Amino acid sequence: MRRLIFFASLALFAASSAVAQQCTSSDTTVTCFRKYNPLAAATAQSVATTNTGTPTATTLATATALRDFLSFFSAGVDAGTVIENGTSVTLDWNFPFPFVEDNDKVKVQSVFNDPSLAADIQTPLGSNATNAKSTLTNFDDISTLISYDPVNQRLGRSIAPHIKLFEALNPTAASLFAVFAQTLFTNKAALPQNFDQNTPFSAITDATLQQTIITQLETAAAAQKNAVAVSASLTKALTQLLNNQPQAYVGGIYHYRNELVGPDEFSVKGTFEVSPKSLNRFLKNNADVCSKAVTGIADANATTCANRMVSFAAVDDPSAQPSASDRLAFAIEYTQTKSESVDLTKFSVVPPNTPVLRPGTHSITYSLTYGHPITSAKIKDARVDVAVNYDNVSNDPTMKDRFVASLTFSQKISDTMTLPISITYANHTQYLPQTDRRMGVHFGISYKIPNNSGQ
């Protein structure tokens, strides 16, 4: 029965896809052609499956200069989600934030962790540790995060703010219509006057002729090998320039803990990424023709804009071009830990083992990451990222300022999976004396959560 349901669903999906691609009477020559040569959809898919290394908000060992910010958190772009595993429950919401762009959202996430006793009180508690542990509940270790990464025409790797431009650049202008009119319109006299590439097929009142014209155009559009080749170059150019768009991210975390679990902690982090060959830069340098292409002023403007874009991205051979250029990211994070005095007398602990004093601390972490994509005859969809971190820790004699550097190679193995391998050096681990050194090798598999928003 499960197999039957699966294959029935697969057949239904295939049928619906086929229907979606067919042209209707409300289509024009241009919109009908785009269904068979969907430049914007192909670009969006290419951007979504670009190798962005291993997106992680905290682990420098697999840092990357090209990030999917929303992949830092659990899935759920348009609605809240609940994720439960053996040690935590995650609640995830997305709230409208229309103060910058109409469709912007702020992500709020709360993680309810299974609480455990802090290391600094286990020794004083001794045999009373089990009794202390029994007093803890699932509300004694909660982390709440609020994050925002703007997506608009200036920031973010989303096709949505540029959809009109991408549609305008599709090779469907007068040249295609001219060929179509000359070779396929066997009964031009029956067509309405001034019928052109922007006229809907519904203007043809003869139902038989209308269907004939639609069928002929569907056949021609599917066979447009030259247009498909042009689209491949444009898709690669648009993908690269979108991936090179600057990105900004800001997020804050408040970690509430019962004093038996540990001190409360607050942190805020901001990240900004840039690349030299961005869509912003291209549009600024070519506003004279590209802005006219969007508004439909002369088909030649769209052709010129498309040709300039391919040249700007240097896409001579699409298969040999990376999906992103060199990229630089800078991040700064501030963390503050609350000071407190933990009284253990109610668990039969007597002085001098109680109270347990915890000094308040704060630290500032600076991060700089440089990434370079690798594309050659033998290696494709790979990238190398070099990252350095410096932790400036204050008010805690048990911790030292810390420098960490990493070199990460990430190889894309599927649309959603990446294999990262990194070498990391730290001048000392977080709680060890400054004389200690650590060199480590890290590897694993990163899974990218798909973005179901279609952007």
Side-chain angles (χ1 to χ4, degrees), residues 207-220:
T208 301
L209 178 60
Q210 180 188 114
Q211 187 56 51
T212 298
I213 296 298
I214 290 176
T215 301
Q216 289 175 335
L217 179 55
E218 288 177 336
T219 302

Side-chain angles (χ1 to χ4, degrees), residues 66-237:
L66 179 59
R67 294 174 173 86
D68 292 309
F69 284 126
L70 291 181
S71 294
F72 289 169
F73 321 113
S74 59
V77 176
D78 297 315
T81 60
V82 178
I83 300 174
E84 182 176 3
N85 58 33
T87 59
S88 67
V89 175
T90 301
L91 303 181
D92 190 69
W93 304 272
N94 293 274
F95 296 101
F97 189 74
F99 302 103
V100 180
E101 293 290 326
D102 291 341
N103 296 321
D104 276 0
K105 291 182 174 64
V106 168
K107 178 175 285 293
V108 179
Q109 183 180 79
S110 291
V111 180
F112 296 79
N113 298 297
D114 185 15
S116 58
L117 296 176
D120 60 353
I121 67 169
Q122 291 188 27
T123 298
L125 284 171
S127 60
N128 296 304
T130 301
N131 184 31
K133 169 69 174 176
S134 66
T135 65
L136 299 177
T137 71
N138 290 329
F139 296 94
D140 286 327
D141 190 350
I142 306 173
S143 295
T144 299
L145 176 143
I146 300 178
S147 65
Y148 172 61
D149 57 299
V151 177
N152 50 54
Q153 289 189 338
R154 303 291 300 177
L155 295 169
R157 295 169 48 243
S158 173
I159 193 174
H162 311 282
I163 194 70
K164 291 183 178 180
L165 170 66
F166 286 16
E167 289 183 348
L169 299 185
N170 216 359
T172 60
S175 58
L176 172 65
F177 181 78
V179 172
F180 175 68
Q182 293 172 8
T183 59
L184 299 178
F185 285 1
T186 57
N187 193 357
K188 299 178 183 178
L191 296 176
Q193 188 177 9
N194 299 324
F195 186 89
D196 62 17
Q197 70 268 22
N198 296 314
T199 305
F201 296 125
S202 58
I204 305 175
T205 56
D206 186 324
T208 301
L209 178 60
Q210 180 188 114
Q211 187 56 51
T212 298
I213 296 298
I214 290 176
T215 301
Q216 289 175 335
L217 179 55
E218 288 177 336
T219 302
Q224 273 290 332
K225 301 300 182 183
N226 180 55
V228 171
V230 173
S231 293
S233 298
L234 265 178
T235 297
K236 179 61 72 171

Side-chain angles (χ1 to χ4, degrees), residues 21-102:
Q21 195 176 19
Q22 292 178 351
C23 299
T24 66
S25 61
S26 61
D27 281 312
T28 67
T29 304
V30 172
T31 60
C32 180
F33 181 86
R34 287 173 181 161
K35 290 185 176 181
Y36 288 83
N37 296 274
L39 179 63
T43 302
Q45 175 67 13
S46 183
V47 170
T49 57
T50 294
N51 178 12
T52 55
T54 304
T56 171
T58 58
T59 306
L60 179 68
T62 48
T64 172
L66 179 59
R67 294 174 173 86
D68 292 309
F69 284 126
L70 291 181
S71 294
F72 289 169
F73 321 113
S74 59
V77 176
D78 297 315
T81 60
V82 178
I83 300 174
E84 182 176 3
N85 58 33
T87 59
S88 67
V89 175
T90 301
L91 303 181
D92 190 69
W93 304 272
N94 293 274
F95 296 101
F97 189 74
F99 302 103
V100 180
E101 293 290 326
D102 291 341

